[in-house]
Amino acid sequence: METEIVQAATFAKAIIKVNEVSRACDSDPGHSEQVTNLALAVFDALKPLHQYGTSERQILEIASRLHDIGWSKTVLKNITN
């Protein structure tokens, strides 16, 4: 139970940072939101098959939100300078 609380708090902190990066760098937040919703829907629908848990779902959510971050002009500008 205590481990789950720590994991939830860690995820909450991580998602705050992910949202900050997304706001600063994501040129199409609607697309990222749609990708995230679809990825999580597929994850949830296939849970009886893959039997992954909350931490794997949270990793998928973070990855989905950041999947196109490399296309950001802000990120590319910082890399090239």
Side-chain angles (χ1 to χ4, degrees):
M1 179 69 169
E2 187 176 322
T3 303
E4 292 171 0
I5 293 169
V6 170
Q7 287 175 339
T10 302
F11 176 70
K13 289 178 186 176
I15 206 71
I16 288 169
K17 293 297 183 186
V18 166
N19 289 334
E20 288 175 9
V21 170
S22 292
R23 278 193 297 277
C25 301
D26 195 346
S27 61
D28 190 356
H31 167 73
S32 294
E33 187 65 29
Q34 181 68 5
V35 167
T36 300
N37 291 338
L38 290 171
L40 294 177
V42 170
F43 180 94
D44 293 341
L46 296 176
K47 188 165 180 147
L49 293 173
H50 60 64
Q51 298 182 3
Y52 290 133
T54 302
S55 60
E56 290 85 4
R57 190 178 192 278
Q58 291 169 339
I59 292 168
L60 178 62
E61 181 174 352
I62 290 170
S64 299
R65 291 189 185 281
L66 298 177
H67 79 280
D68 271 345
I69 206 71
W71 291 108
S72 168
K73 290 180 183 176
T74 303
V75 171
L76 293 175
K77 187 172 102 177
N78 289 336
I79 290 171
T80 58
N81 289 335

